[in-house]
Amino acid sequence: LSVTVGSQSISPLLWAVETGSLEAAEAIINDLLTIRADRDRYYYGVDALFTRHPDIIKRLCMDAPGLLPKLLDGLIWRSRLTENGRRRVVYFCRHLIVNNEGQFAQAIEWLSQFQDPKIICHPVISFVIDLVWMRIAARAFLYRKSWLLLTATVYMFSQSILNSGIHDEVSESVGVRGSILLFRCFIYLVSWPSLAMVHIKRGRQDIRNKAFVQVFSLRVPKHIFEFNSIASLTLCIVLAVMLSLCPILHCLGKRNNAGDNYLFTERCPDGDVYLPVYSVFSMCGMLC
């Protein structure tokens, strides 16, 4: 994997891939990933391969995709013996999950960008994807989606379900009005700030990495033009406008003709002014 000539170090494998000598590259890969043993130890070159070329998956995707199945096949050891119709199999997939610095490897990302269904369905890749999903990604995914489901449910109750019969006596009770105010406070004080913080952090990362998109004479952070970010940013802006137009806030401290306070209600002269526009933005928030 390393040939030193003077002050330069050359990798025969990388040289064979770059020059198109795919048969030589295949021979090197097969030799490295063949398990050998003597009286002292076993010899298997997978650690040396990924230590010398941590981006070998990326290089093969770009220059020699035909060698990817050979490389992945070399990461599997199958026993010659069978027990009860089953054969023992060992996957050497550590370098596909963790890189040399102990961080999450980019192998799956490179293969997904390569967009070859046969490679993605390879037993090693399928095993790695299932392992990462079950041990790491599933919990984080369910946590994010459960938070999204909670905020969506609270939003629907505060804007539609509890508010659907606002002119009924039940809906005019203090308990229902207080519930509406409580749910809206959750949306405005918990959900909206967390959503805004996500865009602030990603915007700072884009600024730090100088990742911009030129829009006329303005330089806009690149993440804003992602599909998910467009919907999320639109919802963030809609919630900010809804907070400024919320009829309940405009009715706080106001009194009716009898001298009573408009407690937690939208129905007051000041609130009626903003209610039509607020309803439009509330509908937009549901669509986002």
Side-chain angles (χ1 to χ4, degrees):
L1 288 176
S2 180
V3 176
T4 302
V5 179
S7 60
Q8 295 185 349
S9 178
I10 302 174
S11 169
L13 174 59
L14 190 59
W15 175 84
V17 170
E18 291 178 345
T19 58
S21 302
L22 301 185
E23 293 182 358
E26 181 179 351
I28 295 174
I29 291 175
N30 291 335
D31 184 67
L32 287 171
L33 300 182
T34 299
I35 300 178
R36 300 179 177 88
D38 56 23
R39 294 182 178 181
D40 297 327
R41 54 173 293 184
Y42 284 93
Y43 299 92
Y44 185 48
V46 63
D47 291 336
L49 173 61
F50 281 93
T51 300
R52 182 69 172 87
H53 301 294
D55 61 341
I56 185 64
I57 299 292
K58 182 179 180 180
R59 299 303 298 264
L60 293 183
C61 287
M62 293 188 303
D63 300 329
L67 295 180
L68 279 173
K70 303 295 182 181
L71 174 64
L72 297 177
D73 289 341
L75 302 179
I76 304 176
W77 174 83
R78 296 179 175 90
S79 174
R80 296 183 293 103
L81 306 177
T82 59
E83 297 180 4
N84 299 325
R86 297 183 178 182
R87 179 176 296 179
R88 186 180 178 187
V89 178
V90 178
Y91 294 94
F92 297 90
C93 58
R94 178 169 66 93
H95 295 284
L96 300 181
I97 301 175
V98 182
N99 59 20
N100 297 331
E101 288 75 26
Q103 300 176 350
F104 191 75
Q106 296 180 276
I108 302 300
E109 178 183 352
W110 294 329
L111 291 174
S112 63
Q113 294 175 354
F114 184 55
Q115 297 183 352
D116 188 340
K118 293 183 179 180
I119 296 298
I120 292 296
C121 294
H122 192 277
V124 173
I125 304 303
S126 298
F127 178 79
V128 170
I129 293 175
D130 292 341
L131 184 65
V132 172
W133 170 254
M134 296 301 297
R135 301 292 180 88
I136 301 175
R139 185 177 302 175
F141 176 81
L142 293 177
Y143 174 77
R144 292 178 183 176
K145 295 306 177 183
S146 62
W147 174 255
L148 177 63
L149 181 61
L150 174 63
T151 55
T153 303
V154 171
Y155 185 88
M156 291 181 63
F157 268 90
S158 66
Q159 302 297 331
S160 178
I161 297 176
L162 293 179
N163 211 21
S164 59
I166 195 63
H167 298 293
D168 299 339
E169 294 182 359
V170 176
S171 296
E172 285 294 336
S173 66
V174 177
V176 175
R177 297 201 304 264
S179 299
I180 294 175
L181 177 62
L182 181 63
F183 288 158
R184 291 187 181 180
C185 286
F186 175 83
I187 295 296
Y188 297 142
L189 301 180
V190 179
S191 178
W192 175 56
S194 63
L195 193 63
M197 285 302 299
V198 171
H199 288 282
I200 292 175
K201 291 180 180 179
R202 296 196 62 185
R204 292 177 58 185
Q205 291 178 354
D206 287 343
I207 294 174
R208 188 181 300 112
N209 298 330
K210 297 182 179 180
F212 297 101
V213 174
Q214 193 76 22
V215 179
F216 299 107
S217 59
L218 299 177
R219 300 176 66 190
V220 182
K222 184 178 180 179
H223 83 278
I224 294 179
F225 294 92
E226 298 176 2
F227 178 78
N228 292 335
S229 296
I230 293 175
S232 178
L233 182 60
T234 303
L235 178 60
C236 189
I237 296 174
V238 168
L239 291 178
V241 176
M242 288 175 61
L243 176 60
S244 65
L245 298 177
C246 184
I248 296 179
L249 298 181
H250 289 282
C251 289
L252 289 178
K254 302 297 189 301
R255 296 179 180 272
N256 57 19
N257 295 331
D260 299 328
N261 286 327
Y262 290 103
L263 185 61
F264 306 152
T265 183
E266 298 178 332
R267 312 303 299 188
C268 71
D270 291 346
D272 290 339
V273 175
Y274 298 99
L275 187 58
V277 181
Y278 180 84
S279 300
V280 172
F281 279 94
S282 176
M283 179 191 67
C284 295
M286 290 186 179
L287 295 178
C288 293

